[in-house]
């Protein structure tokens, strides 16, 4: 059986700048600012309105989610996702480039990249280096708001890229999947405060390995090479030839694990969408590994 070549997961700032200069932004190429920040820090929508890549639209992760869920940023339904992106002028043949404005270079864009993939869209790429490097390199920005013509997008959920609480629970017994958590080491171990909504203590799911997502980025905010990333997985004894689940706090930085593995030729990493936010609330105490209570006592 011939394996389908993987679509390019990254595009360079130079490539996108040339596309912008050639007026290629349109039905065949859409650019999305997918920035999101913790409440009380930065206002992603306001910053987009003030300056963004010419031709870009704002992809609101806070809007494009399951608003009925008690957990933080759970996937919306196929119908909702299809309607949302259709209004951004995205069809099933559109090449989408996603970016965010975080100072790290790449933070929330991999979540949007994964969302399109989990809903069956193959032609989606992350802007390597993000908006931070776009600006540093002197590429054009604008405050002009683009209003694309609505398109038709048909979403088809790829269940193999998504894991639920019940499936993680089952995996603790079967151990069919390796599990990697992308949060910082202190939050993973339970020695540092868990940011975000109150009531969630730090810690991790039993049997999970820790690979903080920011380690996949260079100091300047670009994705490391596939050779470097492969070595990082090998150092943690993660076998990329075997099934792998990525988790984090709310299913966002876990997508960096999926992206990193994809860059090594592994496109099938599943993300536990509820991640620690759901696990902490639902799992029994013995299935939450943490030094937090010991630290408090």
């Amino acid at each position: 059986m011939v394996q389908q070549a993987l679509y390019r997961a990254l595009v360079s700032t130079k490539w996108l700048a040339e596309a912008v200069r050639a007026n290629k932004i349109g039905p065949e190429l859409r650019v999305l600012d997918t920035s999101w920040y913790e409440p009380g820090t930065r206002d992603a929508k306001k910053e987009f309105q003030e300056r963004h890549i010419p031709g870009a639209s704002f992809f609101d992760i806070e809007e494009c989610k399951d608003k009925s869920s008690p957990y933080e940023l759970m996937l919306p339904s196929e119908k909702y996702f299809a309607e949302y992106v259709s209004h951004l002028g995205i069809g099933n043949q559109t090449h989408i480039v996603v970016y965010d404005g975080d100072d790290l270079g790449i933070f929330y864009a991999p979540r949007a990249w994964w969302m399109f993939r989990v809903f069956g869209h193959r032609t989606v790429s992350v802007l390597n280096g993000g908006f931070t490097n776009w600006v540093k390199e002197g590429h054009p920005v604008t405050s002009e708001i683009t209003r694309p013509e609505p398109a038709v997008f048909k979403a088809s959920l790829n269940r193999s890229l998504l894991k639920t609480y019940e499936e993680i629970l089952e995996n603790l017994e079967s151990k069919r999947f390796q599990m990697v958590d992308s949060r910082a080491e202190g939050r993973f171990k339970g020695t540092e405060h868990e940011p975000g909504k109150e009531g969630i203590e730090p810690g991790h799911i039993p049997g999970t390995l820790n690979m903080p997502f920011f380690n996949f980025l260079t100091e300047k905010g670009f994705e490391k090479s596939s050779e470097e990333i492969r070595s990082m997985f090998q150092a943690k004894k993660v076998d990329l030839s075997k099934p792998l689940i990525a988790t984090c706090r709310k299913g966002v930085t876990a997508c960096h694990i999926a992206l990193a593995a994809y860059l090594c030729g592994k496109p099938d990493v599943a993300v536990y969408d509820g991640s620690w936010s759901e696990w902490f609330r639902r799992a029994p105490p013995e299935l939450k590994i943490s030094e937090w209570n010991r630290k408090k006592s």
Side-chain angles (χ1 to χ4, degrees), residues 40 110 112 149 156 200 209 226 263 274:
E149 282 289 316
S156 178
I200 298 180
L209 299 169
S226 57
L263 294 172

Side-chain angles (χ1 to χ4, degrees), residues 129-279:
F131 191 61
T132 295
N133 282 289
W134 177 272
V135 172
K136 278 183 184 175
E137 293 169 12
H139 298 302
V141 297
T142 185
S143 60
E144 185 178 335
I145 303 299
T146 301
R147 305 193 188 283
E149 282 289 316
V152 176
F153 185 92
K154 293 182 180 178
S156 178
L157 184 65
N158 182 350
R159 287 282 327 166
S160 70
L161 297 180
L162 177 68
K163 292 298 173 189
T164 64
Y165 171 80
E166 289 75 18
E167 288 169 317
I168 301 298
L169 206 56
E170 188 276 330
N171 191 66
L172 295 184
E173 293 295 324
S174 69
K175 294 180 171 57
R176 289 187 302 113
F177 289 82
Q178 304 163 96
M179 290 195 294
V180 175
D181 190 312
S182 63
R183 289 173 298 155
E185 184 181 15
R187 293 166 60 191
F188 176 82
K189 287 184 174 179
T191 58
E192 293 177 10
H193 175 70
E194 186 67 31
K197 290 185 177 180
E198 293 298 318
I200 298 180
E201 296 176 1
H204 63 271
I205 301 166
T208 309
L209 299 169
N210 184 216
M211 295 184 74
F213 78 96
F214 43 80
N215 289 340
F216 292 111
L217 303 176
T218 67
E219 285 185 11
K220 293 184 177 179
F222 295 94
E223 200 75 25
K224 288 181 178 176
S225 69
S226 57
E227 292 78 15
E228 289 175 287
I229 293 170
R230 193 179 296 278
S231 295
M232 290 169 65
F233 280 119
Q234 288 172 346
K236 284 289 183 177
K237 295 184 168 49
V238 176
D239 188 343
L240 293 179
S241 69
K242 294 180 180 178
L244 176 61
I245 297 170
T247 182
C248 58
R249 155 70 182 234
K250 53 182 176 247
V252 172
T253 62
C255 299
H256 281 256
I257 303 288
L259 175 61
Y262 187 100
L263 294 172
C264 295
K266 183 177 179 60
D268 59 355
V269 173
V271 170
Y272 172 25
D273 199 28
S275 283
W276 184 248
S277 172
E278 179 182 34
W279 190 263

